[in-house]
Every structure is written in structure tokens, then in C-alpha cells.
């Protein structure tokens, strides 16, 4: 098996970037979910409530974040300083003392989304622990939902698409790593894998919300698919619908498209 695709998402719930190589840190890919859009009160915003977030493109130019969307001039987000203004932001029950960007960045983002919001940055001085029920002491992430990495299997998507009248792309599921697996959903059983000498440890299968129903090209929820079909055969005993697996790095390094994937341990 090999790595077939790599993605990073600098701003939580905005459009991601397909990349050829990724610098993997203990918290996930470098810059992945380093930023997050928040309400004025500090609550995080995602495509669950604001699907048009998918229409804001992100790119990194010399480690500088640039945002763009139709009908607006691109805007370069200045690199934050540890002494910049901070506020407490919430993400899935966790609190982070995040850096808040300047007014002109927040005004641009508010205009793009049609609602008042701000852009928060996860500072190097902060730490956000992964769920201790399934992670180990010291495991941490940034503004991702709960874990540093999401891995998906192309064979699993192919299986899903064979059941859909309108196939969907892998971007609907917002993975970091896509594997060319040999059989659908074999990843559910992987407990430890190795890519380019880097070990990744299984955290949990990924329960899916409504985000995969958002068409990333239109920013519109066009119907219940693909979650409705997925629910017919991928619903767990807890009632959640599963696709992909969350993983935690056990070492750091560079991952590249074409890297071999070795399953070290499986259930």
C-alpha cells in the first residue's frame, strides 16, 4: 500500500490544500488547523453551521497564510506575535488562550462569510490534550476536532461511491492522509502503521457529522448524501456513522505521496 494523497487545512473548516509532502509534528501536519474562525464570544465556527466556509481558499506562501474567495481581493494574514491580543476560545469543550488577528483580517473574513467573526491562532505557548479516554498522556493537537491526523482509505470511498447515484470526492471527508488500501474499511482494524519510518498509532474510528454533505465547490448542503447511504452500513452501536480513522504520531518527520504504508499491528 502507498500514500496516494496528502492534505493540510491551515484554517479549521476552510478549504484545504492538496500537498505532495508534509512535515509531520507531534500535533499533526505543520500549520494544520493552526487557525480557527470564531464567533465574537469565542465559540468556534465550522461548516456544520456555516457551509459557505468551504468557498474560502487557503494557501501558504513562505509559511505565510493567504486567504482568497470569489469577488474579494486576496488577503495575507500577518504572522502573529506571542504578545498579541489574546482571548479564550472554545473548541469541543476545550479552552485555548488564542491569539486574535487584527481588525482588517477579521473584517475581511466577516465580509466573506456574511457574519461577524474573528480569526484565532493557536500559539506555541498553548497545549491542547487529546481525549484521554483513547489517547496517551502527552498526546496533543491544535484546533482539529480531537486528534492530530485523519486517515482515509481510497478503497473505502470507492465502496461508498459504488452505492451512490452521484459519486463524491475524498475532499468531502477532509482527511490528512489517503491510503491506496487493498480492501474497503480494512483501516478500522489498524492499530499501528508505519510510513517512511514514522509510526502512527490508532486513536479511534472517525464519527462523521454533516460536513461531508457540503458540496465544497458550491458551499451548499445539496441533500443528505453521502451520510445517508453511509449510515446504511457504517453505523456503530452508538448510533454514530463512521468513515476514516483518527491517528496520533509516535514520531516526527516528512511524509510524501508515494510512501509505502506498512501495517505493524492490527486487531
Amino acid at each position: 500500500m502507498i500514500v496516494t494523497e496528502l492534505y493540510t487545512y491551515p484554517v479549521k473548516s476552510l478549504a484545504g490544500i492538496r500537498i505532495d509532502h508534509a512535515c509531520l509534528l507531534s500535533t499533526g501536519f505543520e500549520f494544520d488547523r493552526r487557525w480557527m474562525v470564531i464567533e465574537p464570544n469565542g465559540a468556534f465556527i465550522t461548516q456544520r453551521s456555516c457551509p459557505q466556509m468551504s468557498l474560502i481558499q487557503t494557501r501558504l506562501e513562505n509559511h505565510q497564510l493567504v486567504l482568497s474567495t470569489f469577488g474579494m481581493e486576496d488577503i495575507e494574514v500577518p504572522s502573529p506575535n506571542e504578545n498579541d491580543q489574546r482571548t479564550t476560545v472554545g473548541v469541543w469543550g476545550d479552552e485555548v488562550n488564542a491569539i486574535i488577528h487584527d481588525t482588517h483580517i477579521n473584517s475581511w473574513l466577516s465580509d466573506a462569510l456574511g457574519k461577524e467573526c474573528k480569526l484565532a491562532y493557536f500559539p506555541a505557548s498553548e497545549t491542547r490534550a487529546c481525549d484521554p479516554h483513547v489517547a496517551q498522556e502527552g498526546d496533543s493537537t491544535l484546533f482539529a476536532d480531537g486528534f492530530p491526523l485523519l486517515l482515509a482509505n481510497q478503497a473505502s470511498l470507492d465502496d461508498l461511491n459504488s452505492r451512490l447515484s452521484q459519486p463524491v470526492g475524498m475532499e468531502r471527508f477532509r482527511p490528512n492522509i489517503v491510503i491506496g488500501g487493498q480492501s474497503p474499511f480494512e483501516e478500522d482494524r489498524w492499530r499501528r502503521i508505519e510510513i517512511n519510518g514514522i509510526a502512527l498509532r490508532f486513536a479511534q474510528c472517525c464519527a462523521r457529522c454533516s460536513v461531508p454533505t457540503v458540496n465544497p465547490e458550491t458551499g451548499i448542503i445539496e441533500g443528505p448524501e453521502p451520510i445517508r447511504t453511509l449510515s446504511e452500513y457504517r453505523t456503530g452501536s452508538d448510533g454514530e456513522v463512521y468513515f476514516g480513522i483518527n491517528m496520533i504520531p509516535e514520531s516526527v518527520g516528512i511524509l510524501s505521496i508515494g510512501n509505502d504504508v506498512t501495517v505493524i499491528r492490527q486487531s
Side-chain angles (χ1 to χ4, degrees), residues 175-196:
N176 296 110
I177 303 170
V178 181
I179 300 297
Q182 299 172 336
S183 60
F185 304 107
E186 61 180 307
E187 65 274 17
D188 290 357
R189 298 183 291 109
W190 297 348
R191 292 300 173 263
R192 193 167 183 269
I193 66 172
E194 192 172 279
I195 304 175
N196 195 30

Side-chain angles (χ1 to χ4, degrees), residues 12 33 35-38 41-46 48 88-98 120 122 126-129 141-147:
K12 185 180 184 69
R33 277 92 170 191
W35 289 265
M36 182 172 72
V37 183
I38 61 169
N41 65 3
F44 73 111
I45 307 172
T46 73
R48 295 168 180 85
T88 299
V89 304
V91 52
W92 294 121
D94 297 327
E95 292 187 342
V96 176
N97 189 21
F122 199 111
E126 287 289 295
T127 300
R128 178 174 169 238
T141 189
L142 301 181
F143 286 134
D145 277 358
F147 299 95

Side-chain angles (χ1 to χ4, degrees), residues 3 20 40 47 49 54 83 88 107 124 137-138 141 147 153 159 161 180 187-188 207 210 214 219 240 248:
V3 175
D20 294 328
Q47 291 181 34
S49 61
S54 67
N83 296 321
T88 299
S107 295
E137 185 176 356
T141 189
F147 299 95
N153 178 0
D159 179 84
N161 278 334
E187 65 274 17
D188 290 357
S210 62
V214 177
E240 299 282 3
I248 298 171

